[in-house]
Amino acid sequence: MASFFVKLFQVLRDFDQLFFLRKCVVRGGKLQPNEDIICTHCLTTLPYSQFKGMAGNRIERLFYSDISIERANSLLFYQRGAHDTRLIHSMKYDHNKKACVYMGRVMAQDLVNTNFFDGIDAIVPIPLHKNRRRHRGYNQSELLARGVAEVTHLPVWTEVVARIIDNKTLTQMDFYERRAQTEGIFECIRPEQIRGKHLLMVDDVVTSGATLSSCMKCMSGLGVRFSVLTLAAARAPIDFPGFVHYDFDV
């Protein structure tokens, strides 16, 4: 009986492959039966940061002048126009929720042999404003967090902080404009739940760190410790005070 169901599954899988062609979200090639979301070639050639959560890495240093964090990591580098950006665009704008959860698992698996998750109490995804979430139908950062949780078995807290201002997109803004646009856009709504906890803040892409910093600041004064995990970091973000062409690729 078991072998019958195995064969039935294989037939249904082959039928799906034939009539509902599954494509790699990065380059659009046909996925093999043992592949999901991203083909093996693209998955192995994505622009990985190789930070592995190491102390003092460039993602961690984004927050030095703004807020104290324990550790930080980004799985990938992001550069507008590169082939791999199709992955993030698919997650964010093409309703590809499955890709979000999948990449969340990859983000966590990248760090399982490190101490990155030690002592963390819960995962907090950066929230969308209710209007934007209603329009999009989901929060990609929350789905990334769900994928991370599948590997780490940490709880995901989605109702401890809210985005109360639907700020403008930060694209094309400089460092100071980003800071101004993200000031006061979040509110901590469950202070007693997070008091004294170590929270892992999860987002899709970090550029200047302004949005993440603003979110963490609204929870300051409660003895909360923070760590940061994002899918990607801008490869060549805006100039920072004291830096010219702050280059993530060197």
Side-chain angles (χ1 to χ4, degrees):
M1 181 62 71
S3 62
F4 168 79
F5 284 110
V6 170
K7 290 180 180 179
L8 177 61
F9 171 78
Q10 291 171 341
V11 170
L12 292 173
R13 184 190 63 190
D14 292 342
F15 179 87
D16 178 70
Q17 287 287 315
L18 181 61
F19 293 100
F20 302 96
L21 182 62
R22 299 181 309 128
K23 295 183 179 181
C24 170
V25 297
V26 177
R27 291 182 180 265
K30 178 182 176 181
L31 291 174
Q32 298 303 310
N34 63 331
E35 296 175 334
D36 194 19
I37 306 297
I38 306 174
C39 71
T40 303
H41 171 76
C42 288
L43 186 62
T44 56
T45 57
L46 287 172
Y48 294 101
S49 72
Q50 302 297 340
F51 290 149
K52 303 288 185 180
M54 66 180 180
N57 70 63
R58 292 168 177 171
I59 310 306
E60 185 181 311
R61 297 205 302 269
L62 287 175
F63 303 94
Y64 278 0
S65 64
D66 217 22
I67 191 166
S68 176
I69 67 171
E70 299 286 318
R71 42 192 178 264
N73 195 68
S74 292
L75 176 71
L76 306 171
F77 287 126
Y78 173 95
Q79 185 170 352
R80 190 178 305 166
H83 283 297
D84 45 274
T85 60
R86 295 175 184 169
L87 168 63
I88 294 174
H89 290 174
S90 176
M91 292 165 47
K92 202 165 186 174
Y93 304 116
D94 295 341
H95 213 264
N96 198 337
K97 296 187 283 188
K98 188 176 180 182
C100 297
V101 178
Y102 177 88
M103 291 310 300
R105 292 196 297 267
V106 177
M107 288 161 61
Q109 290 163 351
D110 179 59
L111 297 164
V112 291
N113 294 323
T114 72
N115 65 350
F116 189 86
F117 299 108
D118 291 357
I120 291 174
D121 296 297
I123 305 169
V124 176
I126 300 299
L128 289 177
H129 188 270
K130 61 182 180 181
N131 293 341
R132 193 167 300 187
R133 179 170 183 137
R134 188 182 304 116
H135 175 74
R136 186 173 296 169
Y138 63 100
N139 177 4
Q140 70 278 3
S141 296
E142 179 182 335
L143 295 178
L144 285 170
R146 299 290 180 192
V148 173
E150 288 184 12
V151 176
T152 63
H153 307 294
L154 291 167
V156 178
W157 291 351
T158 60
E159 298 182 351
V160 297
V161 62
R163 197 175 196 133
I164 57 174
I165 298 175
D166 192 7
N167 61 303
K168 300 176 183 178
T169 179
L170 304 183
T171 306
Q172 305 301 325
M173 291 186 184
D174 65 23
F175 179 87
Y176 297 105
E177 290 171 327
R178 285 169 181 261
R179 284 287 186 260
Q181 279 292 319
T182 55
E183 190 70 28
I185 67 173
F186 296 99
E187 179 181 24
C188 178
I189 54 179
R190 293 194 177 177
E192 292 308 315
Q193 183 172 340
I194 65 171
R195 190 179 299 276
K197 301 298 185 182
H198 185 176
L199 304 179
L200 177 63
M201 310 301 297
V202 169
D203 205 1
D204 53 357
V205 180
V206 59
T207 301
S208 69
T211 301
L212 279 155
S213 289
S214 180
C215 189
M216 290 185 283
K217 283 178 180 178
C218 85
M219 295 180 276
S220 62
L222 296 168
V224 179
R225 298 159 58 207
F226 298 106
S227 289
V228 170
L229 179 59
T230 73
L231 172 62
R235 185 185 293 272
I238 58 173
D239 292 346
F240 290 82
F243 295 88
V244 177
H245 302 301
Y246 194 88
D247 189 359
F248 279 75
D249 197 28
V250 176

